[in-house]
């Protein structure tokens, strides 16, 4: 939790309360439904929460923005972002019902009002959103084919509507088809922890 406060100053008491509750909740739920690998659950704040919040360093969503979290798993990056941006509406979808149950229960337990978690495959999602966010779900070209239909034409933010995904390792081949519309930012630009080396935020305007 200290890592979050180091990089995100000015969080309200309510935001700090919600973030601090995540540790116990995810440990408890992970015992029942495995949404985070057993050996990684103790790194929850660095590897999952802070990683998710890197999107909040790249863009400050304006009030009224709508975001689709594609392949959310147990709620990443959607739940940490929903805490950070309480006036942004988040829809979390995943094809695995058990994972959506965890995301729903965690969101309810911490009192998030701006989140809905739905058991749904991306191909079935019909809504329009300002941004689609995703964390290492599938290769970018495959993701783009599925979610391009979900990007709204109406612009609300300084950053043009599009896809924001978090990736690790060599991303060159994935972004090749989107050279003209993609921006890649090393997450180590914002966070100094060793784990964030070779982790990237990819933004593709649509």
């Amino acid at each position: 939790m200290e890592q979050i406060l180091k990089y995100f100053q000015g969080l309200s008491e309510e935001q700090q309360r919600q973030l601090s509750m995540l540790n116990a909740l995810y440990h408890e739920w992970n015992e029942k439904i495995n949404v985070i690998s057993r050996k990684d659950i103790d790194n929850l704040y660095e590897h999952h929460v802070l990683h998710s919040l890197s999107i909040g360093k790249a863009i400050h969503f304006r009030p009224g923005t709508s975001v689709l979290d594609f392949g959310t798993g147990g709620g990443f990056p959607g739940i940490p972002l929903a805490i950070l941006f309480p006036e942004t509406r988040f829809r979390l979808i995943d094809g695995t019902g058990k994972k959506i149950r965890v995301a729903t229960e965690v969101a309810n337990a911490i009192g998030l009002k701006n989140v809905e978690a739905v058991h749904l495959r991306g191909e079935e999602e019909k809504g329009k959103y300002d941004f689609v966010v995703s964390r290492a779900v599938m290769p970018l070209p495959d993701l783009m084919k599925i979610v391009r239909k979900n990007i709204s034409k109406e612009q609300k933010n300084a950053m043009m509507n599009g896809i924001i995904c978090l990736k690790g390792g060599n991303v060159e081949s994935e972004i090749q088809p989107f050279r003209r519309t993609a921006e890649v930012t090393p997450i180590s630009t914002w966070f100094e922890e060793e784990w964030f080396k070779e982790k990237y935020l990819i933004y593709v305007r649509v």
Side-chain angles (χ1 to χ4, degrees), residues 51-205:
H51 190 209
S52 298
L53 290 175
S54 64
I55 292 172
K57 291 293 189 185
I59 179 172
H60 189 90
F61 295 123
R62 287 182 178 156
T65 297
S66 59
V67 177
L68 176 68
D69 179 1
F70 177 94
T72 188
F76 300 101
I79 285 178
L81 289 173
I83 296 171
L84 189 62
F85 298 108
E87 294 182 45
T88 291
R89 185 170 57 82
F90 290 86
R91 179 169 164 94
L92 283 48
I93 64 169
D94 199 281
T96 305
K98 288 190 294 187
K99 292 179 179 178
I100 284 296
R101 184 181 171 209
V102 175
T104 299
E105 295 286 351
V106 170
N108 289 343
I110 65 175
L112 280 179
K113 307 288 188 215
N114 57 331
V115 163
E116 63 169 342
V118 183
H119 178 206
L120 194 70
R121 293 175 68 242
E123 292 85 349
E124 300 165 319
E125 175 59 60
K126 302 288 192 274
K128 297 286 186 185
Y129 303 87
D130 301 304
F131 293 93
V132 174
V133 298
S134 167
R135 205 169 73 120
V137 171
M138 61 175 62
L140 185 57
D142 298 338
L143 177 66
M144 187 67 92
K145 279 181 199 163
I146 296 171
V147 301
R148 189 187 286 275
K149 70 183 186 310
N150 302 114
I151 304 291
S152 171
K153 298 271 192 288
E154 183 188 339
Q155 304 291 332
K156 294 192 183 113
N157 291 269
M159 185 186 271
M160 296 281 286
N161 292 357
I163 295 172
I164 304 170
C165 52
L166 302 174
K167 294 273 185 178
N170 188 346
V171 297
E172 285 303 310
S173 61
E174 287 197 44
I175 64 164
Q176 194 64 45
F178 313 105
R179 277 279 170 215
R180 294 182 179 180
T181 54
E183 294 172 25
V184 179
T185 308
I187 294 179
S188 57
T189 304
W190 304 302
F191 305 146
E192 64 188 12
E193 283 79 2
E194 185 72 23
W195 188 78
F196 291 108
K197 290 184 176 168
E198 298 201 6
K199 298 283 190 299
Y200 301 95
L201 182 146
I202 303 171
Y203 159 64
V204 184
R205 67 179 186 275

Side-chain angles (χ1 to χ4, degrees), residues 10-23:
L11 293 172
S12 69
E13 284 187 15
E14 174 68 357
Q15 287 171 313
Q16 292 183 48
R17 181 190 70 80
Q18 290 173 324
L19 286 163
S20 69
M21 290 176 72
L22 294 180
N23 193 46

